[in-house]
Amino acid sequence: VVGTDGRVLDVNRRLTEMIGYPTEEMIGAQIHSFLPDTPAGKSRSLEVSRKHLAGESVSGWELETRHKNGRPVWVSLWMEPTRGEDGSIQASRSFCVDITDQQNQPCGSGVL
């Protein structure tokens, strides 16, 4: 769960395992700090944030994140904004799937 200020409000165990950061390091951190300065990293994350603030959903967007040890972790992201009683955007709830193995397949491997 990410707030409108881009800070992580809540995180589940699976994500902490996927990117190697403990919950205590993630809560309160800027979500963009877990993405590299690449077009598929911070740039795409900033696009997702703009959609979040506009109240739009994201479905199946591929982003490059970084594991705490520095290795790339690719995810496919779905995000839904959550609204307060007055209709204002409060946060976003996200679901992501690790697609790193699919990103690392050599061309011609027979995997689509």
Side-chain angles (χ1 to χ4, degrees):
V1 177
V2 177
T4 56
D5 61 356
R7 295 197 179 278
V8 176
L9 302 174
D10 195 14
V11 63
N12 68 15
R13 178 187 53 83
R14 178 63 185 118
L15 183 62
T16 63
E17 292 171 353
M18 191 183 325
I19 64 172
Y21 290 88
T23 302
E24 307 78 50
E25 285 185 44
M26 293 191 74
I27 301 294
Q30 283 288 326
I31 191 64
H32 307 301
S33 68
F34 302 103
L35 294 101
D37 195 11
T38 64
K42 281 190 181 154
S43 296
R44 182 137 326 132
S45 180
L46 291 169
E47 284 183 66
V48 169
S49 289
R50 284 190 288 276
K51 289 189 165 292
H52 160 68
L53 292 174
E56 298 176 29
S57 299
V58 167
S59 179
W61 281 39
E62 294 182 2
L63 284 90
E64 179 184 8
T65 65
R66 283 281 188 253
H67 191 276
K68 188 172 183 174
N69 68 13
R71 74 174 165 81
V73 176
W74 285 84
V75 298
S76 185
L77 173 75
W78 286 260
M79 181 204 67
E80 286 292 328
T82 57
R83 298 180 183 272
E85 289 184 22
D86 63 355
S88 65
I89 302 300
Q90 301 294 306
S92 69
R93 294 183 90 52
S94 301
F95 172 80
C96 58
V97 175
D98 185 342
I99 59 168
T100 304
D101 289 344
Q102 291 92 328
Q103 291 293 328
N104 292 329
Q105 291 294 325
C107 194
S109 67
V111 176
L112 297 178

